[in-house]
Amino acid sequence: MSITENQESLSPNEAVGANFIRHIIANDLKENKHNGRVATRFPPEPNGYLHIGHAKSICLNFGMAAENNGTCNLRFDDTNPEKESVEFMESIERDVQWLGFKWTELHHASDYFEQLYGYAVELIKQGKAYVDSLSADQMRAYRGTLTEPGKESPDRNRPIAESLDLFHRMRAGEFADGQCVLRAKIDMASPNINMRDPVIYRIRRAHHHRTGNDWCLYPMYDYTHCISDALEGITHSLCTLEFEDHRPLYDWVLDQLQTTYHPQQIEFARLQLEYTIVSKRKLNQLVTEKHVNGWDDPRMPTIAGLRRAGYTPKAIRDFCERIGITKKDSWIEMSVLEYCIRTDLNENSPRVMAVLQPLRIVIENYPADQTELLEIGNHPQRPELGKRNVPFSKVVLIEQDDFAENPPPKYKRLISGGEVRLRGAYVIKCHEVIKDADGRITELRCTYDTDTLGKNPEGRKVKGVIHWVSEEHSLPAEARLYGRLFKLPNPDNEENFLDALNPDSLEILSNCRVEASLANAQPESRYQFERTGYFCLDSVDDIDGKLVFNRTVTLRDNWEKD
RNA sequence: UGGGUCGUCGCCAAGCGGUAAGGCACGGGGUUUUGAUCUCCGCAUACCAAGGUUCGAAUCCUUGCGACCCAGCCA
């Protein structure tokens, strides 16, 4: 397995830290535990889009394999046809690849249905599984509670031949959905509820997105997963903490069947990110009930959403490495993710000027018929990224925020009678503020100092630098400013997580003007709009004659306003 | 109060018996034609608590306390 070529590959300075799984693998390698092999897999169920929590697992699984010259498969855990779909499957493949990973083999648990069935027959023959006719309700009652042991089903000691016959007839479609199940015969008194004769096959007449109507019975996760791992020769089966209690079952199934490989299941804590949720059920609800505009809404913590918002694969990988791998319940602050994307974008995105909320400035002493092409560098620290020509003319647009009639303390932008530098251009001075009937500022009259292009004015210091565009030459654009989707750090704490939704998570600015060089910007291309943030040209929406930009993240702002 | 797991700085996280790495955040200097970047400095006598073992403990033992997960024919 490797990092795909079309993505920025992992650079050596992407620091890798120690974690307990790396230790285990290193130790296994040292002891030649699997003949020196490291084989992992990423096993999503295609019942939703991948999210940032999956990214953690993807980076871990593919990462461990890559670091150790091993393999990593993508395997769809598609054993519940009622919730799964081709759309989800395709989105998952797309997202894993976009993140920069390339699987060794692509598998589907459904490819193993026939083998799985065969193993089940074997279990029955060993007297280790039986067909049970208890209803779901009865089974729940028989299961016992956390503190009391369960009761054995009347069918538990059904003769092997009878279970075998029943199981064949289950497959043949002789029984209704839910009429009977196949159960592993383990221990109804086990303190671990998962070991109280878990169901391993249920009858479900549902169309499967891959096997169609070939089957009317489907294997359960616990039974399927371990065998699939074994079949693929997985050495380290990495999963999240909630499966810790299932490990004895994982091991039990493989022990009974004496499969060639017996992978080691290792559990790690799932990602919890402040102000977001990573429950596929809830994300699905946000989409279905239209609280967001689809799985790829830039506010969604999905890979597709992050991508559309302008996040890079590298930043997400960096994030996954930084947060570490442990078994501890932990909450990651948003600032970590934001730091990662800012770092990547700061280094790699070209700078450009865009005025989000324009204020007109007429430069009175600038010739009306003149246009200058000012050469401005695309990146202050990386001259190799080149320069562009930005037209300058008599009427320019600046940000409304960059002018203040009553400036707060330490304000260093434009004020009445004050001077400010137009980035890459001249120093201007404001002489007159023009307002409409309602007292709103509509225009500023300024003059420019002709001797300040590329040099500081003589005898005085101009501290402020603001961005601008030429009114005549600029392009109309829409900016979508995204904030956090939730207003609370842990939406799951609420009775209803929807109550934690942030009503102001999207602000649309539709009268923006961006510099002319953006005319041929490609969808998904990322820029730093100087002084306002990082933006990405939207890949989906097309507004007639207008460029649509999604704000990925703001620039850090250390200015202490009052 | 059955079973499983976890408790090191505001948030992550190294550490595995030899005397508390690192990152994010935060605070403060410097550079800067982005209040960005960059850079320098500061930031746990302390590792859930209490006992014990040891020359020496975050690391070993004991007992507490706190948190999370499990009673789907979901994964």
Side-chain angles (χ1 to χ4, degrees):
Chain A
M1 100 110 254
S2 63
I3 304 294
T4 48
E5 302 304 315
N6 62 332
Q7 299 294 341
E8 321 87 303
S9 60
L10 289 168
S11 55
N13 61 356
E14 272 185 55
V16 289
N19 69 49
F20 78 102
I21 293 180
R22 269 199 251 260
H23 284 314
I24 291 173
I25 292 177
N27 199 51
D28 288 348
L29 249 20
K30 204 175 81 187
E31 295 174 357
N32 206 240
K33 191 165 172 184
H34 307 279
N35 293 316
R37 275 189 327 118
V38 172
T40 59
R41 98 273 90 116
F42 171 61
E45 182 189 13
N47 67 343
Y49 277 59
L50 259 24
H51 53 63
I52 186 74
H54 291 110
K56 177 179 179 181
S57 175
I58 291 168
C59 290
L60 209 218
N61 278 291
F62 283 91
M64 290 301 141
E67 278 175 43
N68 296 290
N69 248 300
T71 59
C72 182
N73 295 344
L74 172 62
R75 181 173 70 236
F76 289 102
D77 236 325
D78 53 352
T79 56
N80 186 2
E82 288 170 314
K83 292 185 175 169
E84 298 154 8
S85 74
V86 172
E87 182 204 347
F88 292 142
M89 215 168 67
E90 289 173 344
S91 72
I92 289 169
E93 290 184 39
R94 188 165 55 238
D95 289 344
V96 170
Q97 293 180 96
W98 178 77
L99 273 176
F101 298 105
K102 197 171 187 164
W103 47 85
T104 309
E105 295 169 0
L106 175 64
H107 292 291
H108 303 79
S110 54
D111 290 340
Y112 307 135
F113 279 174
E114 195 59 54
Q115 287 168 89
L116 257 4
Y117 183 84
Y119 280 124
V121 168
E122 194 180 314
L123 277 184
I124 298 172
K125 285 180 176 166
Q126 285 183 39
K128 299 283 176 51
Y130 60 98
V131 172
D132 195 347
S133 305
L134 246 32
S135 71
D137 285 343
Q138 287 173 311
M139 204 176 290
R140 183 162 37 247
Y142 274 70
R143 189 154 32 230
T145 68
L146 294 178
T147 52
E148 303 160 67
K151 270 192 314 190
E152 297 189 350
S153 164
D155 291 341
R156 194 172 201 265
N157 293 309
R158 169 138 49 204
I160 289 174
E162 199 178 307
S163 275
L164 224 34
D165 176 56
L166 255 15
F167 190 51
H168 289 316
R169 289 164 58 193
M170 281 168 67
R171 178 177 185 173
E174 290 187 28
F175 304 108
D177 287 11
Q179 196 175 135
C180 50
V181 296
L182 184 69
R183 288 229 254 174
K185 192 173 184 175
I186 308 179
D187 177 10
M188 287 307 292
S190 172
N192 180 346
I193 291 191
N194 296 300
M195 299 297 272
R196 319 241 260 231
D197 289 12
V199 171
I200 57 178
Y201 267 94
R202 79 289 211 179
I203 301 174
R204 195 108 317 167
R205 258 161 268 259
H207 180 88
H208 188 282
H209 65 281
R210 297 194 78 246
T211 61
N213 298 319
D214 291 353
W215 295 85
C216 66
L217 76 173
Y218 293 93
M220 300 284 289
Y221 165 84
D222 286 305
Y223 174 73
T224 307
H225 201 85
C226 54
I227 295 177
S228 303
D229 279 347
L231 255 19
E232 292 174 24
I234 300 303
T235 56
H236 303 268
S237 181
L238 314 179
C239 64
T240 42
L241 245 34
E242 67 269 26
F243 293 104
E244 221 155 13
D245 286 344
H246 296 240
R247 188 173 359 119
L249 179 51
Y250 184 106
D251 290 331
W252 182 90
V253 172
L254 296 184
D255 285 344
Q256 311 313 309
L257 298 172
Q258 311 236 318
T259 48
T260 314
Y261 291 105
H262 191 137
Q264 179 185 6
Q265 175 178 306
I266 304 168
E267 310 84 10
F268 62 94
R270 60 191 306 163
L271 169 68
Q272 303 186 96
L273 225 202
E274 287 188 344
Y275 299 98
T276 94
I277 52 167
V278 284
S279 147
K280 270 201 265 186
R281 202 204 93 232
K282 289 175 182 170
L283 291 176
N284 206 316
Q285 191 180 343
L286 290 176
V287 173
T288 313
E289 297 178 2
K290 302 209 187 299
H291 296 106
V292 295
N293 304 313
W295 286 96
D296 64 349
D297 185 301
R299 291 166 294 183
M300 289 283 273
T302 51
I303 304 301
L306 291 166
R307 174 180 183 173
R308 193 170 165 196
Y311 273 75
T312 61
K314 185 178 173 188
I316 294 173
R317 278 189 243 123
D318 183 29
F319 172 74
C320 291
E321 184 57 44
R322 280 168 187 277
I323 57 177
I325 301 290
T326 65
K327 303 190 71 153
K328 190 167 70 174
D329 253 301
S330 58
W331 281 90
I332 308 297
E333 292 178 345
M334 260 300 181
S335 62
V336 183
L337 218 209
E338 291 176 350
Y339 174 84
C340 292
I341 188 58
R342 285 193 183 112
T343 299
D344 189 15
L345 260 16
N346 172 57
E347 193 180 324
N348 299 306
S349 63
R351 267 108 264 219
V352 99
M353 291 194 286
V355 176
L356 269 23
Q357 303 191 86
L359 171 59
R360 209 170 117 97
I361 287 189
V362 175
I363 301 168
E364 294 176 311
N365 61 338
Y366 197 87
D369 56 354
Q370 183 175 314
T371 296
E372 276 178 274
L373 250 30
L374 305 177
E375 202 175 51
I376 300 180
N378 291 327
H379 191 116
Q381 282 82 37
R382 299 180 60 189
E384 73 274 20
L385 260 32
K387 295 176 175 177
R388 67 196 188 283
N389 289 129
V390 181
F392 184 81
S393 63
K394 188 178 179 72
V395 181
V396 297
L397 270 12
I398 68 165
E399 211 70 67
Q400 287 169 21
D401 278 356
D402 286 338
F403 174 78
E405 269 197 301
N406 305 298
K410 293 188 189 165
Y411 188 78
K412 55 186 220 190
R413 285 111 93 160
L414 191 59
I415 60 175
S416 266
E419 283 187 306
V420 77
R421 154 84 59 189
L422 292 180
R423 174 105 232 239
Y426 301 93
V427 169
I428 58 168
K429 182 169 188 175
C430 175
H431 295 287
E432 188 184 351
V433 180
I434 298 175
K435 298 178 181 176
D436 63 13
D438 300 323
R440 279 191 305 250
I441 301 172
T442 55
E443 189 178 298
L444 262 27
R445 294 297 168 109
C446 299
T447 52
Y448 82 114
D449 184 333
T450 57
D451 197 29
T452 53
L453 186 60
K455 59 177 176 181
N456 289 129
E458 305 277 320
R460 69 211 133 100
K461 225 174 231 159
V462 176
K463 268 189 301 186
V465 180
I466 64 174
H467 57 97
W468 56 275
V469 294
S470 160
E471 182 182 59
E472 181 191 343
H473 307 275
S474 62
L475 274 15
E478 172 172 303
R480 298 177 179 173
L481 311 184
Y482 297 99
R484 27 187 68 139
L485 222 205
F486 293 96
K487 57 190 176 193
L488 266 21
N490 181 5
D492 283 323
N493 259 172
E494 304 309 291
E495 338 63 60
N496 180 354
F497 79 104
L498 295 174
D499 294 342
L501 239 20
N502 174 12
D504 305 315
S505 58
L506 170 59
E507 183 184 357
I508 297 178
L509 267 20
S510 41
N511 298 313
C512 311
R513 304 290 299 194
V514 301
E515 64 172 65
S517 70
L518 253 14
N520 299 115
Q522 295 303 300
E524 287 202 324
S525 53
R526 309 175 184 95
Y527 301 91
Q528 183 196 100
F529 285 0
E530 291 217 40
R531 305 206 311 127
T532 61
Y534 295 98
F535 287 76
C536 178
L537 187 61
D538 193 66
S539 50
V540 179
D541 288 346
D542 188 21
I543 295 179
D544 203 27
K546 226 194 257 184
L547 295 162
V548 178
F549 287 96
N550 296 315
R551 185 175 68 193
T552 313
V553 66
T554 60
L555 252 35
R556 260 180 61 186
D557 184 3
N558 286 333
W559 185 41
E560 298 164 39
K561 290 160 225 168
D562 285 2

